[in-house]
């Protein structure tokens, strides 16, 4: 198991691991008034994504977040709203090092009123690196257990130079002999806590980074661990854009086509499923039955599918879609990410005029307004049926393009619209 | 003028400046098969944006791009398709330095069959840094004229460390004493050409960067120039996402509301304009008359407005929108960026049933398909009119949200749809 991988030997206590997240920065490089860790991505603050990434790792027992006094209330609301667990909030210091030190103090056993336990190993991570994976966390923890300190590194993207006093090039550094020091880092708690206790005021203000403090004050040489590109730090506005696109891409990997339970009765629903599979590369298309008893949908939701295409055939009501919406609402799926639901309506243009049908369906707008409050983005999509085979294929391909656009953009400005394939 | 700012003194020839763009890389860091300089952003290859950024600078006389043999044809198609000017294509070498050297050779006067002239100063820039501005180009050129060499620098984002042989931390570099060396760089042509001619095979394969070559082979100490954050290099897939978002944001800054010429006859058109102004922060909303004679629209198009809202009142046809579309098509505006046109239709729900109106307007789909070929993204938007004042305001606000979504996402999958505010 991961716990034994993280250092526990048979018959011994599992390794106690906690994490400290300094989040007191004011984001002056961003060019935006909100500190970057609180900037919204799909309406959720960046720091919540980072907390989610750490929470997923079951062997991290406590997560201590240091935020400035004025943000403590906001931080507590975030924890509550997004159902975060194992999080303690402490007040940040005026520098990054002082914030980390405050987090470590909260974990130290000599705090009388604390519910936290002193861990053997502590991870230090940034609130603005939301894409950290369990594997690199595990690697730095194991290396810290052995070496006392460890940190993730990356190759340099740019050449690093040393300027002379007159603003000219003194020399370029050899790129192959240097690395960028990134996060996460991990330490034996006693090593890093000792380093901070010994640390000079000057280093608490201006010191470069934790690995260097462990070296300077505890003579602990950190083990360096190669990290992946997604450890990057959200620093500039462009990084927020990149983070949003990455998050949108990740939650757009799966689509579930929801049909009535009666197998074989909805060939056109299955046709749509097939076209989605062939047209949308890199997307996993599954199908699920609406019948509560089957448990299909609950299973699919538990596997974090955030996109649903609900097939309604020859009806002007939203019965199927309504069933789906209540299952999604009950599941809490939309707490962390906006869920896209496309209510697809196959209808016979010969028996009902398009215009009539559209009028019937216009009340999808009211519906959409309602579920929008619970972070569900509902749109309608009309497909003419029956048509001759070639035209139907063309309509289904068009439907796939529209569905892909709605899922990709996840723009709440388009909810309640009735689109036509 | 810029030319004199760039070093020409009164009565003397203006400074001759050219640029070399190495673009032979294969983009292995990107995790995508296409070399990153050819990755599409809004369907146009990244390198075309960089060429556009250099072309805008009128005092850069020639731009030499070095691409691998297999990409020369593709590069020539890009130049033709996007109307690039002052570009010469040469074959890249197997390393970045060899590609730059090939570009310099093409500019050197001793090339008999070349139409290019040897410049006094040469800029070296990356094909994957599309957001370079004229001011930093000017700064490096002026500094190169004075010092022989110059390059843009940026503060370090991460601490740089030096690992020991066993993969542990040897020491961290002092962040304040180092900088990241970025592009553009500029050189007196004779300096950098001499450096490359003297350059060892080893340095042509493994040498770090041009500034260091000028130092090593010509004893020229480059002047360092502080650059802005947008000099960053598109390196990883996330950078492509960021670049796309930045480009989309830039072309979404202006909206033109297009109305019939007869002033005062379209109060509701002006109401929409007012609501767009108040609801869409950071967007400049102007209005223009459709009448060819007025020249309004031609002026607005020449100022690079890529978003149009065309107001049609009480008609089921697209006369206004058609006029607008032909003006946009004639202007070549959509060669570089997709242009969004929202055909807004105010209609009286009492005199014509909504469903009837919608059917009339369904042929916007055929229209949209047609103009899509010329990079124009057309959608329809219905607004009920007249309504009581409060309801109308609500509809106009809803319209503003929908228009903002269409402009922001610029997703061709949604063209031809008829939306309802
Ligand atoms: Mg990752
Ligand atoms: Mg710029």
């Amino acid at each position: 198991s991961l716990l034994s991988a993280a250092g526990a030997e048979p018959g011994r206590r599992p390794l106690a691991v906690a994490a400290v997240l300094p989040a007191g920065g004011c984001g002056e490089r961003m060019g935006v008034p909100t500190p970057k860790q609180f900037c919204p991505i799909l309406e959720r603050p960046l720091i919540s994504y980072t907390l989610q990434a750490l929470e997923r790792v079951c062997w991290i027992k406590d997560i201590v977040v240091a935020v400035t006094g004025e943000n403590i209330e906001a931080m507590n609301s975030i924890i509550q709203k997004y159902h975060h667990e194992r999080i303690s909030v402490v007040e940040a210091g005026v520098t990054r090092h002082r914030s980390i030190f405050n987090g470590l103090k909260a974990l130290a056993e000599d705090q009388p009123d604390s519910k936290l336990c002193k861990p053997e190993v502590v991870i230090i991570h940034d609130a603005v690196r939301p894409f950290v994976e369990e594997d690199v966390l595990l690697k730095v923890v194991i290396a810290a257990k052995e070496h006392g300190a460890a940190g993730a590194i990356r190759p340099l993207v740019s050449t690093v130079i040393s300027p002379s006093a007159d603003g000219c090039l003194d020399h370029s550094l050899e790129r192959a002999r240097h690395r960028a020091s990134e996060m996460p880092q991990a330490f034996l708690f006693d090593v890093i806590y000792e380093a901070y206790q010994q640390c000079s005021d000057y280093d608490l203000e201006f010191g470069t980074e934790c690995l260097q403090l462990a070296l300077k004050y505890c003579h602990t040489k950190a083990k360096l661990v190669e990290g992946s590109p997604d450890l990057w730090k959200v620093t500039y506005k462009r990084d927020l854009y990149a983070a949003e696109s990455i998050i949108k891409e990740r939650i757009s990997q799966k689509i579930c086509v929801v049909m009535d339970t009666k197998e074989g009765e909805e060939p056109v629903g299955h046709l749509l499923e097939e076209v989605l599979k062939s047209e949308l590369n890199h997307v996993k298309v599954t199908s699920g039955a609406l019948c509560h008893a089957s448990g299909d949908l609950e299973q699919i939701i538990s596997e974090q599918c955030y996109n649903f295409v609900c097939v309604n055939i020859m009806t002007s009501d939203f019965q199927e879609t309504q069933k789906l919406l209540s299952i999604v609402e009950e599941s809490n799926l939309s707490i962390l990410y906006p869920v896209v639901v496309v209510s697809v309506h196959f209808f016979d243009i010969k028996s009902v005029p398009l215009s009539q049908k559209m009028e019937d369906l216009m009340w999808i707008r009211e519906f959409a307004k309602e579920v929008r409050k619970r972070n569900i983005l509902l749109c309608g999509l009309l497909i003419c049926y029956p048509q001759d085979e070639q035209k139907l294929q063309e309509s289904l391909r068009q439907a796939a393009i529209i569905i892909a656009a709605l899922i990709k953009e996840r723009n709440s400005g388009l909810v309640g619209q009735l689109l036509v394939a």
Side-chain angles (χ1 to χ4, degrees), chain A:
Chain A
S1 84
L2 283 171
L3 282 173
S4 60
E9 283 146 37
R12 292 189 51 184
R13 276 186 310 129
L15 186 66
V17 180
V20 170
L21 248 78
C26 65
E28 67 287 346
R29 271 191 285 201
M30 204 73 152
V32 291
T34 310
K36 53 198 167 182
Q37 62 275 22
F38 295 111
C39 284
I41 296 183
L42 294 173
E43 300 181 11
R44 178 154 68 102
L46 179 60
I47 192 170
S48 168
Y49 293 90
T50 311
L51 292 178
Q52 185 190 352
L54 294 176
E55 270 175 343
R56 266 189 313 230
V57 179
C58 60
W59 45 262
I60 298 177
K61 293 304 173 202
D62 293 301
I63 301 165
V64 180
V65 183
V67 298
T68 57
E70 63 187 352
N71 283 321
I72 285 180
E73 207 172 319
M75 192 64 231
N76 284 325
S77 304
I78 291 168
I79 290 168
Q80 195 172 16
K81 180 166 183 189
Y82 300 108
H83 297 199
H84 291 304
E85 288 169 358
R86 289 138 54 202
I87 318 281
S88 302
V89 180
V90 301
E91 190 164 346
V94 291
T95 64
R96 179 180 156 81
H97 280 312
R98 290 191 190 277
S99 296
I100 294 170
F101 195 11
N102 287 356
L104 295 174
K105 282 178 192 160
L107 286 167
E109 277 177 328
D110 52 4
Q111 296 287 307
D113 58 343
S114 172
K115 282 170 289 179
L116 299 167
C117 292
K118 195 185 90 165
E120 189 174 353
V121 172
V122 62
I123 293 166
I124 298 176
H125 190 60
D126 283 328
V128 292
R129 300 191 195 243
F131 300 116
V132 60
E133 300 273 359
E134 178 164 353
D135 65 344
V136 72
L137 290 165
L138 185 59
K139 280 181 193 159
V140 292
V141 165
I142 291 172
K145 165 90 175 157
E146 188 183 335
H147 295 262
I153 57 169
R154 289 283 307 152
L156 294 174
V157 168
S158 305
T159 299
V160 174
I161 59 167
S162 180
S164 55
D166 61 348
C168 288
L169 175 70
D170 188 77
H171 63 279
S172 303
L173 271 61
E174 234 182 283
R175 219 147 127 177
R177 293 185 51 192
H178 294 87
R179 295 286 183 281
S181 175
E182 308 287 345
M183 293 275 155
Q185 297 176 347
F187 301 86
L188 286 173
F189 186 84
D190 293 337
V191 165
I192 193 68
Y193 197 48
E194 174 72 14
Y196 273 102
Q197 284 175 313
Q198 300 296 326
C199 191
S200 69
D201 279 350
Y202 182 88
D203 278 345
L204 281 176
E205 299 296 322
F206 305 108
T208 53
E209 57 151 1
C210 304
L211 296 187
Q212 186 66 23
L213 296 185
L215 181 63
K216 181 169 174 184
Y217 292 102
C218 298
H219 311 289
T220 300
K221 282 199 153 193
K223 180 69 182 175
L224 304 175
V225 172
E226 289 288 342
S228 65
D230 49 21
L231 289 181
W232 113 100
K233 174 162 66 171
V234 174
T235 307
Y236 299 105
K237 201 172 174 193
R238 67 169 186 264
D239 296 314
L240 268 186
Y241 291 145
E244 178 172 324
S245 296
I246 290 168
I247 290 165
K248 281 182 172 178
E249 190 186 50
R250 288 184 177 193
I251 60 177
S252 302
Q253 301 298 304
K254 293 180 192 173
I255 299 177
C256 176
V257 181
V258 178
M259 287 175 266
D260 203 341
T261 43
K262 288 152 273 174
E263 280 288 331
E265 285 195 7
E266 296 181 15
V268 76
H270 289 290
L271 278 181
L272 176 61
E273 187 185 342
E274 289 313 308
V275 172
L276 284 170
K277 278 179 185 169
S278 64
E279 293 291 308
L280 309 184
N281 301 321
H282 315 298
V283 177
K284 193 183 164 207
V285 179
T286 56
S287 62
L290 259 176
C291 160
H292 249 292
S294 82
D296 267 24
L297 270 180
E298 283 78 1
Q299 176 64 24
I300 286 160
I301 286 171
S302 76
E303 288 162 3
Q304 292 168 5
C305 174
Y306 296 99
N307 311 288
F308 297 89
V309 170
C310 188
V311 176
N312 298 268
I313 297 178
M314 306 304 199
T315 68
S316 297
D317 61 38
F318 290 89
Q319 232 182 308
E320 308 292 303
T321 301
Q322 270 178 293
K323 272 193 233 167
L324 171 63
L325 288 170
S326 40
I327 294 173
V328 170
E329 283 179 34
E330 277 169 33
S331 73
N332 284 342
L333 183 68
S334 60
I335 287 176
L336 293 180
Y337 301 103
V339 172
V340 171
V341 175
V342 183
S343 185
V344 171
H345 298 263
F346 287 98
F347 70 101
D348 187 348
I349 201 165
K350 280 167 205 139
S351 66
V352 192
L354 172 59
S355 51
Q356 180 58 48
K357 180 74 180 178
M358 281 185 127
E359 203 144 282
D360 291 348
L361 291 169
M362 282 303 283
W363 59 286
I364 195 169
R365 300 179 70 192
E366 302 312 313
F367 247 133
K369 218 181 277 178
E370 201 48 41
V371 296
R372 173 76 190 88
K373 293 174 196 159
R374 288 183 290 284
N375 211 18
I376 298 171
L377 308 178
L378 174 65
C379 268
L381 178 55
L382 302 185
I383 305 175
C384 182
Y385 180 75
Q387 296 184 85
D388 73 52
E389 201 178 326
Q390 202 189 323
K391 278 190 179 163
L392 180 63
Q393 280 296 320
E394 189 41 54
S395 290
L396 292 174
R397 265 197 299 274
Q398 189 58 36
I401 290 169
I402 293 168
I403 289 167
L406 294 172
I407 287 172
K408 173 169 185 257
E409 310 303 2
R410 222 164 278 266
N411 190 317
S412 62
L414 298 174
V415 300
Q417 296 297 328
L418 204 52
L419 308 171
V420 180

